């Protein structure tokens, strides 16, 4: 067969493999050193008891004649879609048939390209979560991408596109910069989308970490967003489901695209068609697990975990600030985005931090050219390690 040649246009991603290689080499050369890994983008706390109990119950049901379930609805069970609407979209006018339950926001962000026309112009922020770029390159749209630079002088909130685009990918609170977007700033993007008949793909995977009042938990808090935005949410970071796998997409029935004749077409209908054709639903047990995150005890247990990570974030952020670093993020997000000292390249800072403090982070340039001279640390480690990392960085005297 011939291959999809678009795959040959992908840039190789060596970020995490290069980090792993460097760390292994360093550890082999320094076997007695205890390395602290603050580069990790995965949760570490175990699944909370409320979720474990719900899964156990669902597993046992599956072993009984009355409780057995085969294929479920492709869009997700109504019990879960209702819980999502009641809890995450209270008073926002989102309905259960606008929720599509899936096995991950990464897949959803990648699959959404199925319903996009080939000639759309696409705006993607720089630095960025690589999935948005690579999935568009695979679909043959490499030349259609323009980049919105997220710069320090704008607190890493990108400017509006300076030309007409059809699709804008936004992720807030942001990975990797850790910054949140205010309602006022997000409103500018919604207004732009309305004026330009554009659609916003809004990745809200880190919504659960929001602590500040003026940061929206959903793009649908913004007036007009229900006509122009698709939202991606995930239980991965909010409930530690990175290994269990459950997420959802919100496609309001009021969001439309256009065919070649300029006729409006419902994106909810297209996404429903795509989902029922290519997907057979998330497992019953996992959907019961996701449902349990909305129970009273589940909410309390999960808030404890989020608070734990957020405490780590403030330990790292405040600690670095006291040492004299310039730091961003870490307030509405588990990510701390630090400016490398003395205009050091982000890979040079990686080496320095590893050698002087035995601490591993992620070079900002790995997320895009605008990440150069920045460095990402994460709050997903333990409190002890977060404290010790700061202590070591201070003693290493690297400023
Ligand atoms: C972790 C993460 C997700 C979640 O992906 P899942 O497939 O649901 O685990 C989505 N977007 C961003 C930016 C992330 O960092």
């Amino acid at each position: 067969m011939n291959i999809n040649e678009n795959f040959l246009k992908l840039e190789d991603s060596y970020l995490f493999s290069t980090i792993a290689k460097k760390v292994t080499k360093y550890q082999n050369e320094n076997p007695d050193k205890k390395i602290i890994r603050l580069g990790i983008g995965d949760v570490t706390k175990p699944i909370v008891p409320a979720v474990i109990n719900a899964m156990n119950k669902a597993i046992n049901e599956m072993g009984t004649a009355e409780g057995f379930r085969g294929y479920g609805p492709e869009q997700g069970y109504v019990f879960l879609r209702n819980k999502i609407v009641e809890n995450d979209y209270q008073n926002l006018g989102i309905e259960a048939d606008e929720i599509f339950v899936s096995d991950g926001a990464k897949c959803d962000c990648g699959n959404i390209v199925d319903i996009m026309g080939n000639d759309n112009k696409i705006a993607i922020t720089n630095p960025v979560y690589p999935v948005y770029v690579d999935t568009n390159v695979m679909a043959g749209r490499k030349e259609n991408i323009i980049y919105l630079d997220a710069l320090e002088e704008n607190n890493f909130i990108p400017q509006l596109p300076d030309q007409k685009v059809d699709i804008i990918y936004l992720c807030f609170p942001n990975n990797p910069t850790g910054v949140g977007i205010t309602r006022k700033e997000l409103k500018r993007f919604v207004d732009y989308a309305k004026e330009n008949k554009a659609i916003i793909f809004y990745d809200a995977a880190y919504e659960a970490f929001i602590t500040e009042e003026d940061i929206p938990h959903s793009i649908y808090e913004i007036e007009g967003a229900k006509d122009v935005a698709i939202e991606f949410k995930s239980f991965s970071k909010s409930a530690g489901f990175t290994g269990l796998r459950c997420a959802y997409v919100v496609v309001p029935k009021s969001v439309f695209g256009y065919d070649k004749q300029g006729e409006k077409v419902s994106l909810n209908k297209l996404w429903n068609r795509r989902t029922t054709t290519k997907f057979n639903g998330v497992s019953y047990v996992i959907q019961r697990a996701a449902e349990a995150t909305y129970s009273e005890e589940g909410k309390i247990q999960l808030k404890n975990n989020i608070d734990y990570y957020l405490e780590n974030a403030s330990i790292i952020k405040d600690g670095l600030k006291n040492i004299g670093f310039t730091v961003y993020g870490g307030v509405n997000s588990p990510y701390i985005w630090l400016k490398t000292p003395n205009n050091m390249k982000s890979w040079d800072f990686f080496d320095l931090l590893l050698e002087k403090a035995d601490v591993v982070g992620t070079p900002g340039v790995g997320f895009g050219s605008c990440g150069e001279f920045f460095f990402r640390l994460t709050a997903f480690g333990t409190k002890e390690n977060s404290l010790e990392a700061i202590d070591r960085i201070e003693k290493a005297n690297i400023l």
Side-chain angles (χ1 to χ4, degrees), residues 155-285:
N155 201 29
F156 305 100
I157 303 299
Q159 304 278 346
L160 292 175
D162 57 7
Q163 52 184 293
K164 184 186 155 21
V165 301
D166 306 294
I167 292 158
I168 305 172
Y169 285 81
L170 294 177
C171 171
F172 288 105
N174 190 259
N175 176 12
T177 67
V179 302
I181 192 166
T182 63
R183 288 188 185 83
K184 200 169 148 218
E185 288 161 337
L186 188 53
K187 174 89 169 39
R188 293 170 52 235
F189 282 94
V190 170
D191 291 345
Y192 172 95
K194 284 207 123 171
E195 277 156 31
N196 291 278
K197 290 189 173 171
I199 300 293
I200 298 171
F201 293 158
Y202 194 73
D203 184 343
Y206 295 94
E207 175 275 325
F209 293 83
I210 292 172
T211 61
E212 291 182 318
E213 275 296 313
D214 56 345
I215 307 292
H217 288 255
S218 161
I219 193 168
Y220 304 117
E221 291 179 34
I222 311 302
E223 195 198 328
K226 254 175 74 183
D227 299 329
V228 296
I230 290 177
E231 182 160 284
F232 301 91
K233 286 284 295 281
S234 173
F235 296 93
S236 282
K237 313 299 165 29
S238 62
F241 274 43
T242 51
L244 292 181
R245 313 303 304 143
C246 197
Y248 62 86
V249 197
V250 187
V251 191
K253 284 168 285 192
S254 45
V255 182
F256 292 91
Y258 296 86
D259 67 14
K260 284 256 154 57
Q261 285 72 46
E263 297 289 328
K264 279 167 127 185
V265 178
S266 158
L267 296 191
N268 179 285
K269 266 197 188 149
L270 290 190
W271 187 248
N272 189 57
R273 185 61 213 254
R274 191 241 164 242
T275 302
T276 53
T277 302
K278 290 199 183 182
F279 190 52
N280 255 337
V282 175
S283 89
Y284 173 68
V285 174

Side-chain angles (χ1 to χ4, degrees), residues 312-387:
N312 290 347
S314 76
I315 287 169
I316 296 167
K317 183 174 191 182
D318 296 345
L320 291 170
K321 228 194 245 169
N322 288 338
I323 298 169
F325 285 95
T326 303
V327 277
Y328 298 92
V331 177
N332 299 296
S333 135
Y335 297 124
I336 293 94
W337 190 238
L338 83 97
K339 190 174 181 169
T340 61
N342 314 313
N343 271 331
M344 194 181 280
K345 292 215 160 188
S346 52
W347 274 113
D348 292 340
F349 185 74
F350 174 94
D351 293 333
L352 184 78
L353 203 62
L354 182 57
E355 279 159 28
K356 293 265 176 98
D358 306 321
V359 170
V360 179
T362 312
V365 73
F367 300 101
S369 57
C370 291
E372 184 61 287
F373 307 115
F374 289 90
F375 198 76
R376 192 189 77 173
L377 293 174
T378 87
F380 286 132
T382 61
K383 180 176 177 181
E384 296 69 34
N385 277 354
S386 304
L387 285 165

